[in-house]
Amino acid sequence: MSEGQGSTGNVLAAICSFFIPGLGQLVQGRLISAVLWFVVACAAFVITWLITLSLLPFGWFIVSVLSCINAAVYRRNG
């Protein structure tokens, strides 16, 4: 589906990953990467919630931005 950085597939994957970390990687067919990004986002949310005791999910937001970038620059080998 994805041809490389900047392709339509990668842009769609990046948008998906911004809202739910790992969803873009799942769209690209990278199951293990998708699960890892989602687990890291959940852990970041819990850690930042425990530290701040507020529902501001800035840990989740930071991981979703990184996941978005990872999906956007993905280049399929082969």
Side-chain angles (χ1 to χ4, degrees), residues 5-75:
Q5 185 174 347
S7 70
T8 304
N10 281 12
V11 171
L12 177 63
I15 292 169
C16 291
S17 278
F18 181 75
F19 292 105
I20 301 174
L23 184 59
Q25 286 77 7
L26 189 61
V27 166
Q28 292 172 330
R30 302 187 294 153
L31 180 62
I32 294 171
S33 183
V35 170
L36 289 175
W37 277 111
F38 187 75
V39 168
V40 168
C42 290
F45 177 85
V46 169
I47 290 167
T48 55
W49 182 82
L50 288 173
I51 291 171
T52 63
L53 294 178
S54 73
L55 292 177
L56 180 66
F58 65 88
W60 177 279
F61 177 73
I62 291 169
V63 174
S64 53
V65 168
L66 295 174
S67 175
C68 177
I69 293 168
N70 178 264
V73 300
Y74 175 67
R75 185 178 302 247

